[in-house]
Amino acid sequence: IYTPIIIGGVFKATGNRAPMIRYAEAPAKLAYEQIEFGRFVAAHSIPFRMNPHFPVNSLLVMRTLVGAQQAGCLMPAVDALMSGMWERGLDLAQPEIVAAALNEAGLDGRALLALADDRDVKAKLVANTDEAVTRGAFGVPTFFVGDDMFFGKERFGQVAATIKKS
């Protein structure tokens, strides 16, 4: 189950920091992380380009995704916004750009942005974040299979194997 969270909230609650900050004083480690990420993208044929607006404040996107979840269109919204962020290089901190990306995917961008401003949607996003931290999350991607937690893209195989055993 895809669960939108506030990554900044997770970092604040856990004392974690983004890799670009965490490895700022270890340039070889940061460079290696970028090489490894490129290998992962290539090995899985993932269309990716670094977003020129990165880091983007993702609060609007995450609120929009919680609203999309409530509206029953979470995964099409995730696909549209992830593509916008990591394939098309869009500045998804801008409401009009978020709405346009959703509209292009056949969704009602204006309605989803309106939901993003709803008090209950905002509260749900905070609750999602708090729950993730309570369960042990300290960054993304984090996966839970039952009570087992897996962190990082490198754990996809372990997640799949655990699901098969379930």
Side-chain angles (χ1 to χ4, degrees):
I1 300 169
Y2 186 95
T3 305
I5 62 166
I6 307 165
I7 188 60
V10 170
F11 286 167
K12 184 176 180 179
T14 64
N16 196 8
R17 296 175 296 161
M20 72 176 97
I21 296 168
R22 191 169 62 239
Y23 303 138
E25 295 181 25
K29 172 70 172 163
L30 184 58
Y32 179 77
E33 288 291 321
Q34 293 170 338
I35 290 168
E36 194 61 35
F37 184 79
R39 289 175 179 157
F40 179 86
V41 166
H44 297 281
S45 301
I46 298 171
F48 173 84
R49 73 174 201 171
M50 189 62 194
N51 190 306
H53 305 286
F54 188 81
V56 174
N57 181 333
S58 62
L59 185 59
L60 175 64
V61 167
M62 293 299 112
R63 286 178 176 167
T64 300
L65 292 176
V66 171
Q69 189 171 38
Q70 292 181 357
C73 60
L74 175 62
M75 292 319 295
V78 166
D79 290 343
L81 296 177
M82 287 295 194
S83 172
M85 177 67 84
W86 300 117
E87 294 175 36
R88 299 171 57 202
L90 302 179
D91 183 358
L92 295 181
Q94 306 304 319
E96 65 278 2
I97 295 174
V98 171
L102 293 166
N103 289 338
E104 289 169 15
L107 301 168
D108 187 340
R110 182 187 311 257
L112 291 173
L113 280 180
L115 285 172
D117 200 35
D118 181 84
R119 185 179 68 206
D120 292 338
V121 165
K122 292 176 181 179
K124 177 64 174 164
L125 182 58
V126 170
N128 287 352
T129 303
D130 291 345
E131 181 182 351
V133 169
T134 298
R135 292 188 74 187
F138 52 85
V140 292
T142 297
F143 306 92
F144 293 98
V145 180
D147 291 332
D148 293 327
M149 184 179 93
F150 303 87
F151 173 75
K153 66 189 182 318
E154 303 86 357
R155 306 297 176 265
F156 285 154
Q158 294 173 10
V159 170
T162 303
I163 290 170
K164 280 185 178 181
K165 284 191 235 176
S166 300

